[in-house]
Amino acid sequence: ISQSDKPWFLTALTISTHRPFEAVPDAYINRHKHRSRAHNAYAYADKSLASFLEPLKQRGYLDNTLVIITNDEVRGEANKSMQGLLSRSHGILYILTPDRVKQSIKTVFGQTDLMISILDYLDLPIDHYIAGRSLFRAVSKFQPFMMAHVYPKLLFIMPEPNYLIKCRVLLMACS
């Protein structure tokens, strides 16, 4: 990185935080036997993330780097009730900007918003065919929202506030 004057992009995916939570080193698990496998996996991912970010901070890369940390899916327990499905369908999103402006997003958002957010932050053109909205701009009105839950193979569509449509993944049998 230090030998290039060009922008760079990195995607890192962890398998330690996915079922069956077996990708955590035994030495780490043995030090924390009182924790569940999932708890050890999440704690190990946190530790690994800190080990990744600290050298970037020490070398000054975070002064001009946009860091986005998010999950790729939800916890995965299949719960038949609507409330159970939705309560397990939330994720995390942490964006570390060079200017360190603190912002809390109080509306529903999804991974479809990441591409537009990155383009917006970098002040690059946004094609009108790209789905989503920028997380760096305040939302003044409700925007329709869609999310999938992979384990029970369901798709949720919220076309207006307080109205939720649940469909099987292939958009058959919506209710």
Side-chain angles (χ1 to χ4, degrees):
I1 298 171
S2 63
Q3 297 174 359
S4 175
D5 60 348
K6 295 181 180 179
W8 55 278
F9 179 84
L10 170 72
T11 297
L13 301 173
T14 172
I15 59 167
S16 66
T17 56
H18 288 76
R19 291 183 176 278
F21 305 112
E22 293 179 345
V24 178
D26 288 338
Y28 188 83
I29 292 172
N30 291 337
R31 285 195 309 257
H32 306 285
K33 288 183 179 182
H34 63 284
R35 294 180 181 167
S36 70
R37 292 175 87 136
H39 189 149
N40 270 328
Y42 299 135
Y44 183 73
D46 284 348
K47 180 179 183 236
S48 299
L49 182 59
S51 297
F52 172 74
L53 289 175
E54 189 55 36
L56 293 177
K57 181 180 177 183
Q58 290 174 356
R59 294 183 180 129
Y61 294 132
L62 295 183
D63 294 337
N64 66 356
T65 301
L66 180 66
V67 177
I68 300 173
I69 301 164
T70 189
N71 57 315
D72 65 332
E73 59 189 45
V74 297
R75 284 184 50 194
E77 288 90 4
N79 186 318
K80 299 294 181 192
S81 74
M82 181 71 77
Q83 183 64 34
L85 287 167
L86 293 177
S87 70
R88 301 217 187 283
S89 296
H90 61 276
I92 62 142
L93 176 64
Y94 182 79
I95 301 175
L96 180 61
T97 61
D99 54 12
R100 308 295 192 271
V101 173
K102 292 187 184 209
Q103 175 185 351
S104 179
I105 299 167
K106 307 261 190 237
T107 62
V108 176
F109 61 88
Q111 291 179 344
T112 55
D113 299 324
L114 292 178
M115 181 189 297
I116 285 182
S117 299
I118 293 167
L119 293 171
D120 182 36
Y121 186 84
L122 298 174
D123 201 27
L124 294 172
I126 299 172
D127 190 312
H128 69 280
Y129 292 108
I130 300 173
R133 65 177 175 90
S134 175
L135 299 172
F136 296 107
R137 297 185 187 270
V139 176
S140 59
K141 63 179 182 149
F142 176 82
Q143 293 187 332
F145 186 78
M146 180 171 45
M147 70 178 181
H149 197 303
V150 67
Y151 293 99
K153 298 181 176 141
L154 294 173
L155 178 72
F156 297 97
I157 304 166
M158 187 177 286
E160 58 189 61
N162 303 315
Y163 184 71
L164 187 68
I165 301 169
K166 176 179 79 169
C167 303
R168 295 189 194 273
V169 170
L170 298 176
L171 296 178
M172 299 176 181
C174 295
S175 60

